[in-house]
Amino acid sequence: MAEKFVFDIAESLLKKLTSYAYQEVSRAYGVYEDLQRIKDTLTIVKCLLLDAEEKKNQQYALHEWQRQIQYICSDAEYVLEEFELQDKRKQVVKASRSTSMKVRHFFSTSNPLAFRIKMAHQIKDIRDRLDKVSTDGTKFGLTTINVESRLVVQRREMTYPDVDASSVIGRESDKEEIIKLLMQPHPQGNGDGDKSLCVIPIVGIGGLGKTTLAKFVFNDKRMDQIFQLKMWVCVSNDFDIRKIIIKTINSATDSIFSSASAPTSGLIHQENINNLDIVQVVSRLRQKNSGQKFLLVLDDVWNEDRANWIELKDLIKVGAPGSKTMVTTRNNSMASMMGNVPPYVLEGLSPKSCLSLFVKWAFKDGQEEKHPNLVEIGEEIVKKCQGVPLAVRTLGSSLFSNFDLSKWEFVRDSEIWNLKQKKDDILPALKLSYDQMPFYLRQCFAYFSLQPKDYTFLCDDITSLWISLGLVQSLNGRENLESIAREYIDELHSRSFLQDVNDFGSFCVFKVHDLIHDLALYVSREDFVAVDSHTRNIPQQVRNISIVENDSLDNDLFPKSRSVRSILFPVLGVGLESESVLDIWVSRYKYLRYLDLSDSSFETLPSSIAKLEHLRFLDLSCNEKIKRLPNSISKLLNLQALLLNGCMELEIFPKGLGNMISLRQLYITTKQFVLSENEFARLNHLRTLGFYYCYNLKFLFKWDQLPSLESFSVVSCDTNVEDEKSTS
């Protein structure tokens, strides 16, 4: 899935290059024209990437070409950040001129002319490399594809209404519930005065069998008694109103054919309406449906534009009272938008039904009776399918008429994402949903692969990771990044990617379905690695590493790489013990943005931590052995979050906190904390400040010195906190 990932990285870099802030910085340093050339070439390369993604059998060289683009984009991003960092150094030095020469020496800036020359060389290098990959792209026979006019998605095959009822397993009760809804009188008071069209949405993740259920209902004999006309339209990705109406008319005609007697049906002429304009096709639809009570199924709807839906609904509500429309979709918000009854949320199959379905796909009739040992393994295999019929079918089909015990054990013991996938199998089916997401959500989604299955996510944890890695961006520079990231969570939930979402106000938690976790692993591949005791190799190009077991840390395991951007310990109680491993990470991964060392037990943070100039997030919480932090930590001018809560042995907080001018979040546990009013005044970006179990806590500040502060906590502290507003 590297091609999709590289496309998203290029898209993210282009967003930054076109932002107002970066354009102003580039003008200030006289490199505006150079960065514009990079932007123009990158736009062409991005269009070539679209063509590369559509190549079914990629050459190794083409894969390497994509990897080179990823490296160039990363290096370009670091160059942009270097300009930002230089500006921050100047701010700190300027603010400290009246107070301390030591601080100015501490943050000695390079000669402005030397800095410009160095950056000009780096920009030229990126420009030359980008020009080369653009030229190389044409050598692979790639052509530019217009991004705006073409969705980069994998198309789903068109569906049809026919189904063999005997092949549908475990959905009888769901069918009866839907039929009950179809037989009920039209709901009253739906808000828009529309009483002629009832819309019943069926919603659930890909592979659950929404289309199969709709077919099951559609072909039930009771539907022929209730509705004079039945129509089936597969909408899929292209919500083109004219095309949908044409499909509806053709389906209505097919319905007439099927209901007509044999001698008559041969005399009915089906009009070719494909060349008619929208006015003419709407007229034909009214002729077909007027006065008839109909059932219309709109299968596999992806449209999120409410205006489009309202327009279509107004055009198709031409039947008799009691007409019904049934919609299948993966998107909860879309189901709520389209339906005027509560969505029918389709659940997974029962374990018993899953096993029956698996046996049907893995054996010929009666074969399973001869192989009880394989059926027993099959019971274990279907557990990993989590009730999703398509996953059951995928694994059952892969074992059809194969009685090799080792093959069955291999499937049982392997992760689904590691098994070979055909076009219509579960992960390609789920990937349709992934492909449909905007690029910013695709980037964020992949980070679910860093946690183990059945992990309970804290919204704040995952959104902090996204923000630190630059995946969350404000369009106008003034929007709250945390609020935008929370909107991402809500959108992923609405698209059925999250489950068990609980919002407690101050925090929220959620989980992801095991198959959705498999999808995250499937799309992330070499760029993300969750390290456990079974990990024997970490790819050289890895960008994000999580450690999920304490006994999985081997110095030789971690590659020498410029690409690593995040390291985290997501599992409670799993942390870093070895200071030597930490020293290696700091020396090797100078472009780290996110470092979560929570629940660790090392005693000293190396002074070399200051080399991580790009670091945005540093979590040292719940380390009960660490006693001191180096003063050099205050050189981390890009640091946005510093978490030290639960560090019960931390003796004193280092000097220079006021220099960390990007800090937005600060949690502290320490035996001594003293901070002057002047230093506090320089933390004017701070949004969250918390002190927990601190001794000898002394600081003075005025509330108006922290204009961005939204949350302030002092818990179980020996305090001497003074603020002008509260004491006056």
Side-chain angles (χ1 to χ4, degrees):
M1 298 303 114
E3 63 279 358
K4 175 72 74 178
F5 230 81
V6 178
F7 177 88
D8 291 341
I9 291 169
E11 180 77 13
S12 179
L13 178 58
L14 275 174
K15 292 282 185 185
K16 291 181 180 179
L17 285 168
T18 56
S19 70
Y20 176 78
Y22 279 111
Q23 289 190 26
E24 287 298 296
V25 169
S26 66
R27 286 190 175 96
Y29 286 95
V31 294
Y32 176 78
E33 294 298 330
D34 295 299
L35 292 184
Q36 288 302 299
R37 280 188 58 185
I38 289 176
K39 179 180 75 68
D40 293 341
T41 308
L42 186 59
T43 302
I44 296 172
V45 170
K46 189 181 72 168
C47 295
L48 291 172
L49 281 167
L50 293 186
D51 194 29
E53 184 174 333
E54 295 190 351
K55 302 297 183 187
K56 299 300 182 184
N57 299 308
Q58 294 198 20
Q59 311 164 40
Y60 174 80
L62 185 55
H63 180 76
E64 181 59 28
W65 176 79
Q66 293 165 337
R67 184 63 63 188
Q68 290 302 317
I69 294 172
Q70 181 174 335
Y71 288 145
I72 294 169
C73 289
S74 294
D75 289 348
E77 191 172 11
Y78 298 141
V79 167
L80 294 179
E81 289 177 1
E82 189 62 34
F83 285 116
E84 280 188 328
L85 188 58
Q86 182 74 351
D87 267 358
K88 288 175 181 176
R89 293 188 190 109
K90 289 181 178 179
Q91 290 177 41
V92 171
V93 172
K94 182 178 179 181
S96 64
R97 276 177 182 162
S98 60
T99 57
S100 173
M101 289 297 293
K102 289 183 179 179
V103 172
R104 289 203 297 276
H105 177 70
F106 195 47
F107 285 98
S108 59
T109 57
S110 59
N111 179 288
L113 179 59
F115 177 78
R116 290 194 181 196
I117 292 173
K118 181 185 79 169
M119 300 312 294
H121 281 301
Q122 291 185 15
I123 289 172
K124 183 180 184 302
D125 174 65
I126 288 169
R127 199 176 65 205
D128 291 344
R129 290 161 62 197
L130 201 55
D131 287 341
K132 183 178 184 302
V133 296
S134 179
T135 302
D136 289 345
T138 59
K139 293 178 183 178
F140 288 114
L142 303 177
T143 57
T144 58
I145 296 178
N146 189 295
V147 179
E148 300 301 324
S149 64
R150 188 162 185 176
L151 283 172
V152 191
V153 295
Q154 177 185 357
R155 300 284 177 176
R156 179 183 169 182
E157 297 295 324
M158 291 293 103
T159 63
Y160 49 87
D162 303 308
V163 68
D164 178 5
S166 65
S167 69
V168 182
I169 295 174
R171 290 302 186 196
E172 192 65 42
S173 61
D174 294 300
K175 183 184 80 167
E176 292 304 317
E177 288 297 320
I178 297 293
I179 290 176
K180 191 184 299 182
L181 290 172
L182 290 169
M183 296 176 71
Q184 286 178 356
H186 190 286
Q188 300 297 312
N190 57 340
D192 57 4
D194 171 27
K195 297 183 180 180
S196 62
L197 188 66
C198 173
V199 181
I200 302 170
I202 302 174
V203 66
I205 66 170
L208 266 183
K210 300 180 293 297
T211 297
T212 299
L213 176 59
K215 290 179 181 182
F216 204 17
V217 171
F218 188 86
N219 288 284
D220 190 278
K221 292 181 179 180
R222 286 169 286 181
M223 298 299 96
D224 296 324
Q225 298 168 2
I226 298 171
F227 301 103
Q228 297 166 298
L229 199 60
K230 296 192 305 180
M231 297 163 289
W232 181 283
V233 175
C234 181
V235 179
S236 200
N237 305 311
D238 187 12
F239 198 89
D240 183 301
I241 292 176
R242 179 178 169 276
K243 290 180 181 178
I244 292 172
I245 293 176
I246 289 175
K247 289 179 182 179
T248 304
I249 295 170
N250 289 336
S251 182
T253 304
D254 291 341
S255 180
I256 293 171
F257 286 173
S258 62
S259 61
S261 62
T264 310
S265 62
L267 302 175
I268 297 176
H269 173 68
Q270 184 171 5
E271 179 185 11
N272 185 355
I273 59 175
N274 292 326
N275 295 324
L276 300 183
D277 61 31
I278 183 67
V279 175
Q280 292 171 317
V281 295
V282 169
S283 175
R284 295 295 192 280
L285 179 68
R286 294 183 184 279
Q287 292 173 19
K288 293 280 185 186
N289 290 12
S290 182
Q292 299 208 63
K293 186 177 177 182
F294 67 77
L295 170 63
L296 171 63
V297 176
L298 297 176
D299 183 44
D300 196 31
V301 178
W302 296 81
N303 168 67
E304 297 182 61
D305 190 326
R306 186 168 181 268
N308 282 347
W309 164 241
I310 291 173
E311 183 179 353
L312 177 63
K313 185 177 71 169
D314 288 342
L315 293 175
I316 63 177
K317 59 180 184 182
V318 294
S323 294
K324 303 285 174 70
T325 297
M326 189 161 51
V327 175
T328 69
T329 180
R330 304 182 184 194
N331 193 318
N332 283 287
S333 59
M334 198 181 304
S336 300
M337 173 187 75
M338 298 179 74
N340 45 24
V341 300
Y344 187 83
V345 180
L346 190 59
E347 303 290 345
L349 291 178
S350 68
K352 182 179 179 180
S353 295
C354 280
L355 183 59
S356 297
L357 184 62
F358 178 84
V359 167
K360 175 182 174 61
W361 284 95
F363 298 98
K364 292 181 180 179
D365 289 344
Q367 261 185 348
E368 70 277 8
E369 297 176 4
K370 302 176 183 178
H371 302 279
N373 59 327
L374 298 184
V375 174
E376 188 175 334
I377 296 175
E379 288 187 57
E380 299 178 60
I381 289 174
V382 297
K383 289 178 183 178
K384 70 171 66 182
C385 298
Q386 295 283 298
V388 177
L390 183 55
V392 175
R393 193 196 76 180
T394 295
L395 298 186
S397 297
S398 71
L399 294 168
F400 178 68
S401 291
N402 186 325
F403 308 118
D404 183 346
L405 181 64
S406 63
K407 174 68 173 176
W408 283 65
E409 290 174 337
F410 175 77
V411 172
R412 179 195 63 192
D413 299 334
S414 297
E415 296 288 352
I416 288 181
W417 71 278
N418 267 327
L419 299 174
K420 186 177 180 180
Q421 299 282 321
K422 299 177 183 177
K423 186 178 77 168
D424 295 324
D425 287 348
I426 180 61
L427 292 182
L430 287 175
K431 190 174 177 290
L432 283 169
S433 299
Y434 169 82
D435 286 342
Q436 281 286 341
M437 289 193 290
F439 84 94
Y440 57 85
L441 278 187
R442 288 200 301 264
Q443 290 188 102
C444 293
F445 170 75
Y447 287 83
F448 293 147
S449 67
L450 292 174
Q451 287 78 12
K453 286 185 176 179
D454 202 37
Y455 182 81
T456 299
F457 289 83
L458 282 171
C459 289
D460 286 350
D461 288 350
I462 192 71
T463 55
S464 293
L465 177 59
W466 294 343
I467 291 170
S468 300
L469 295 172
L471 307 181
V472 181
Q473 296 180 23
S474 169
L475 294 177
N476 57 23
R478 296 187 298 273
E479 296 170 291
N480 184 323
L481 295 182
E482 287 78 10
S483 298
I484 297 172
R486 182 55 195 270
E487 290 174 6
Y488 290 3
I489 294 286
D490 294 339
E491 188 170 354
L492 286 165
H493 184 210
S494 77
R495 292 173 180 269
S496 301
F497 280 99
L498 311 183
Q499 64 182 26
D500 301 336
V501 177
N502 288 301
D503 191 339
F504 299 100
S506 59
F507 69 98
C508 80
V509 297
F510 64 87
K511 290 187 175 183
V512 298
H513 192 285
D514 280 1
L515 288 175
I516 297 298
H517 187 272
D518 285 328
L519 177 64
L521 291 167
Y522 183 61
V523 301
S524 58
R525 294 281 178 161
E526 299 167 336
D527 293 287
F528 296 73
V529 173
V531 180
D532 59 23
S533 56
H534 301 292
T535 305
R536 296 291 177 265
N537 176 60
I538 297 178
Q540 184 72 25
Q541 61 270 31
V542 67
R543 293 167 64 87
N544 304 280
I545 300 172
S546 70
I547 294 93
V548 297
E549 291 181 4
N550 271 328
D551 57 351
S552 57
L553 293 175
D554 182 344
N555 289 358
D556 297 330
L557 188 62
F558 296 92
K560 296 178 180 179
S561 171
R562 62 181 180 180
S563 301
V564 178
R565 301 181 60 152
S566 68
I567 298 176
L568 57 151
F569 288 81
V571 178
L572 189 66
V574 177
L576 181 66
E577 298 178 2
S578 169
E579 293 179 15
S580 63
V581 171
L582 181 55
D583 287 335
I584 289 173
W585 289 350
V586 171
S587 63
R588 287 182 181 175
Y589 307 139
K590 66 175 184 177
Y591 293 123
L592 268 176
R593 282 170 164 258
Y594 186 97
L595 183 56
D596 170 11
L597 299 173
S598 56
D599 289 303
S600 295
S601 55
F602 54 85
E603 294 185 5
T604 305
L605 186 70
S607 58
S608 58
I609 192 74
K611 294 179 180 179
L612 303 181
E613 293 182 319
H614 299 272
L615 197 64
R616 263 69 170 170
F617 184 98
L618 178 59
D619 186 353
L620 299 170
S621 63
C622 300
N623 183 334
E624 297 184 354
K625 290 187 177 181
I626 193 166
K627 295 183 177 181
R628 286 184 174 270
L629 299 177
N631 288 335
S632 63
I633 197 172
S634 60
K635 285 187 174 184
L636 298 176
L637 302 187
N638 274 320
L639 197 66
Q640 298 172 354
L642 178 58
L643 278 55
L644 297 166
N645 48 302
C647 297
M648 306 303 293
E649 296 300 315
L650 188 60
E651 295 174 352
I652 189 169
F653 199 78
K655 298 177 181 179
L657 178 64
N659 295 323
M660 304 170 77
I661 59 175
S662 298
L663 265 185
R664 299 158 55 86
Q665 183 180 11
L666 178 61
Y667 295 149
I668 298 174
T669 298
T670 181
K671 294 182 178 180
Q672 184 174 348
F673 181 85
V674 180
L675 194 67
S676 70
E677 180 180 345
N678 287 335
E679 282 199 289
F680 246 120
R682 292 160 65 187
L683 299 177
N684 54 10
H685 291 291
L686 205 60
R687 303 178 68 89
T688 305
L689 177 60
F691 296 94
Y692 305 90
Y693 302 96
C694 295
Y695 300 95
N696 196 19
L697 179 61
K698 296 179 181 179
F699 55 92
L700 172 70
F701 71 98
K702 300 176 182 178
W703 286 109
D704 58 5
Q705 290 177 329
L706 301 177
S708 301
L709 195 65
E710 296 177 351
S711 173
F712 176 59
S713 305
V714 178
V715 178
S716 300
C717 294
D718 175 14
T719 61
N720 183 4
V721 182
E722 299 179 39
D723 70 85
E724 189 176 87
K725 185 170 289 187
S726 64
T727 56
S728 60

